Amino acid sequence: MSDGWIALHRKFADNPLWTKRRIFSEAEAWIDILMEVNHTERKVLIGGKVVTCKRGQSLNSNGTWASRWNWTESKVRRYWNLLKSMEMIETETTFMAIDGEH
């Protein structure tokens, strides 16, 4: 059963079964990450600065993920640590000053 692969079209994310408001399982969160990260590089304007988000990256905050999955930010952080320990993801934190605030 672990041989081969399946194609999951990004339109899956529009299906009512997926968009129903619920608490995500860890497996659902993993699928959501895979569907949400960029499939091509793009430039995004954040706080008046242009940021490049590369293929396979996301600029979502912990708060954004927490809201999507109906989790706490603390649970999101613990989940990132789990995925990092399993070598499934790499994370980097970027702090940006907006409007001259630090």
Side-chain angles (χ1 to χ4, degrees):
M1 192 80 135
S2 62
D3 290 347
W5 56 276
I6 62 167
L8 182 61
H9 198 282
R10 290 178 188 271
K11 283 186 181 181
F12 174 79
D14 296 330
N15 184 293
L17 294 173
W18 189 256
T19 58
K20 180 182 177 185
R21 182 79 175 146
R22 68 193 182 286
I23 298 172
F24 275 50
S25 69
E26 290 176 342
E28 289 171 307
W30 175 242
I31 292 167
D32 195 45
I33 292 166
L34 295 176
M35 290 192 309
E36 182 67 15
V37 297
N38 281 345
H39 62 283
T40 58
E41 184 174 295
R42 66 186 179 112
K43 300 206 182 294
V44 180
L45 190 62
I46 298 177
K49 297 184 187 243
V50 176
V51 177
T52 300
C53 189
K54 297 179 183 175
R55 183 175 190 250
Q57 291 183 330
S58 169
L59 296 174
N60 287 352
S61 67
N62 286 346
T64 299
W65 291 112
S67 178
R68 288 176 68 88
W69 302 335
N70 203 17
W71 291 4
T72 64
E73 287 189 43
S74 175
K75 183 172 180 175
V76 171
R77 284 190 298 276
R78 289 191 307 272
Y79 187 60
W80 295 145
N81 290 333
L82 171 67
L83 295 181
K84 286 190 281 189
S85 73
M86 297 174 71
E87 298 181 353
M88 295 171 67
I89 65 166
E90 294 177 12
T91 61
E92 65 182 61
T93 303
T94 303
F95 295 97
M96 298 177 65
I98 299 176
D99 295 328
E101 296 177 15
H102 298 285

